[in-house]
């Protein structure tokens, strides 16, 4: 069974740590990093 999420909201306590995690995860899957605080795209 495969599950695909197109959007997912996650509550976080430390926004800087969450942003760092997202940058690392997106860079490892796409090869680029284009994430800034408050805007992913």
């Amino acid at each position: 069974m495969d599950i695909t999420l197109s959007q997912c909201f996650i509550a976080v306590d430390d926004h800087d740590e969450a942003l760092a995690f997202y940058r690392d995860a997106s860079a490892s899957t796409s090869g680029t990093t284009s994430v800034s605080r408050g805007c992913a795209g």
Side-chain angles (χ1 to χ4, degrees):
M1 171 191 258
D2 293 333
I3 298 174
T4 302
L5 298 175
S6 62
Q7 295 182 4
C8 184
F9 295 97
I10 301 172
V12 297
D13 293 328
D14 188 339
H15 294 278
D16 292 328
E17 287 293 322
L19 182 59
F21 173 80
Y22 183 77
R23 282 185 179 150
D24 292 345
S26 67
S28 69
T29 58
S30 67
T32 61
T33 303
S34 61
V35 177
S36 61
R37 181 174 208 117
C39 178

